[in-house]
Amino acid sequence: LTINLEAADLLAAHVARLVGDAAVAVVSPDAGGIKRADRFRDALAARLGRAVGAAFAEKYRSEGALRGEALVGDVRGAVAVIVDDLVSAGHTLDRAARACREQGATRVIAAATHGVFAGEADTVLAASPIDRLVVTDTIPGARLSDPALLARLDRIPVAPLLARSIRSLSPGVSDLSG
């Protein structure tokens, strides 16, 4: 028996508190992440009790360079929430955040399950127009050092998600505290 663990509900609960009553649109940073962004959008809409917009950014690689400037969907006057599975060097999130700002997003929040923060992530994300970066604690210790960037970083524990999964696999277990 296997269980697919998704952090969408954990991240959506945190992001719902960050966006409050503001208009919001969930953005996939590329076409390949649209289904993931839709699951997150559904979770966020359920938390907020209202409709949440959707958009996606164009992304392709050509000769090793990341390209694509188009944003499909409406983020004007809304908080844009970019959702991805992981953050490595941060170029994908940065590119999507810049496109959202250019299209009139009032704030940009990036949410990803795994904060790898490899290579030049510290520099790329520190200079990015991302107002808040939300990741889970699936990868221990952030490899970031820029104080301004660290002040914009929220790390969400996955322990509650793991506990629910263990409980679902062990019907007689009600207390996992030992």
Side-chain angles (χ1 to χ4, degrees), residues 63-150:
E63 298 178 10
L66 189 61
R67 306 235 190 265
E69 306 301 323
L71 183 71
V72 177
D74 188 13
V75 298
R76 184 167 310 285
V79 176
V81 181
I82 304 167
V83 178
D84 211 347
D85 56 345
L86 62 88
V87 184
S88 186
H91 293 289
T92 297
L93 290 181
D94 178 54
R95 182 192 46 76
R98 291 180 189 284
C100 289
R101 287 291 192 174
E102 289 171 9
Q103 295 300 315
T106 58
R107 287 189 296 153
V108 176
I109 298 170
T113 303
H114 309 290
V116 177
F117 303 122
E120 57 193 0
D122 206 48
T123 304
V124 170
L125 294 169
S128 178
I130 296 170
D131 296 291
R132 203 92 203 141
L133 177 57
V134 182
V135 297
T136 69
D137 64 354
T138 57
I139 298 177
R143 298 176 187 154
L144 303 174
S145 60
D146 184 281
L149 176 57
L150 290 171

Side-chain angles (χ1 to χ4, degrees), residues 1 5 9 15 24 47 61 81 92 98 138 144 147 166:
L1 179 65
L5 300 178
D9 287 334
V15 168
V24 61
R47 292 273 179 181
R61 293 188 190 275
V81 181
T92 297
R98 291 180 189 284
T138 57
L144 303 174
I166 291 169

